[in-house]
Amino acid sequence: MSPLTHTATAIRKRTVRVAALGLGAGALGAVYLWHTNPHRPGQVLLPCPLKWATGILCPLCGGTRMAYDLLHGDVVAAFHDNIVLLTLGVPAAAYAVARWLSAGLRGQYFRPRLSARASAVVLGIGAVWTIARNLVG
């Protein structure tokens, strides 16, 4: 067996192992969230550290409520909770995970990299969204 084949096989095995762990952790989180309504106060959920410390909503605030609403099929409420995360963040994360999984199953590494311009766009969207949602209410 050549070292390249061994490396590709190791990458495939690691990809499957990490994907299975991620899927299992996600399923456990989804089951917990299914039974925990984050729209009601007093639920046992991790608070946003920025909102807790400053009272300012970060670009990800509302993500837990959005996930809860999507689990229960309420897309309109999910849009209300965090429209930018739902329309930009979820597809971007799904794309990155699909690329990682595809490369890993082929025995290749996938290292996502953003150019300086793309990083500026992401940070700009986050900053504008943070300012807009805190000014509007």
Side-chain angles (χ1 to χ4, degrees), residues 36-48:
T36 306
N37 187 347
H39 294 285
R40 292 191 204 147
Q43 302 297 320
V44 180
L45 295 164
L46 295 175
C48 171

Side-chain angles (χ1 to χ4, degrees), residues 46-56 58 60-61:
L46 295 175
C48 171
L50 184 66
K51 185 175 180 190
W52 175 80
T54 66
I56 296 172
C58 80
L60 301 177
C61 278

Side-chain angles (χ1 to χ4, degrees), residues 17 109 123 136:
R17 186 173 54 249
Y109 284 113
L123 289 173
V136 172

Side-chain angles (χ1 to χ4, degrees), residues 1-127:
M1 183 184 306
S2 74
L4 183 59
T5 306
H6 178 68
T7 303
T9 302
I11 293 169
R12 269 189 223 94
K13 286 182 180 180
R14 183 176 186 278
T15 299
V16 170
R17 186 173 54 249
V18 170
L21 287 171
L23 185 62
L28 287 174
V31 167
Y32 179 77
L33 188 57
W34 176 268
H35 298 289
T36 306
N37 187 347
H39 294 285
R40 292 191 204 147
Q43 302 297 320
V44 180
L45 295 164
L46 295 175
C48 171
L50 184 66
K51 185 175 180 190
W52 175 80
T54 66
I56 296 172
L57 297 171
C58 80
L60 301 177
C61 278
T64 303
R65 292 186 308 273
M66 180 190 75
Y68 174 86
D69 293 334
L70 289 175
L71 282 171
H72 288 84
D74 193 350
V75 178
V76 173
F79 270 101
H80 181 266
D81 293 329
N82 195 326
I83 190 168
V84 172
L85 183 60
L86 183 60
T87 58
L88 298 177
V90 172
Y95 174 76
V97 169
R99 289 280 313 268
W100 167 78
L101 189 57
S102 174
L105 293 177
R106 288 190 317 263
Q108 301 170 347
Y109 284 113
F110 173 67
R111 289 186 178 92
R113 292 188 179 103
L114 287 178
S115 67
R117 181 175 289 165
S119 295
V121 167
V122 170
L123 289 173
I125 290 170

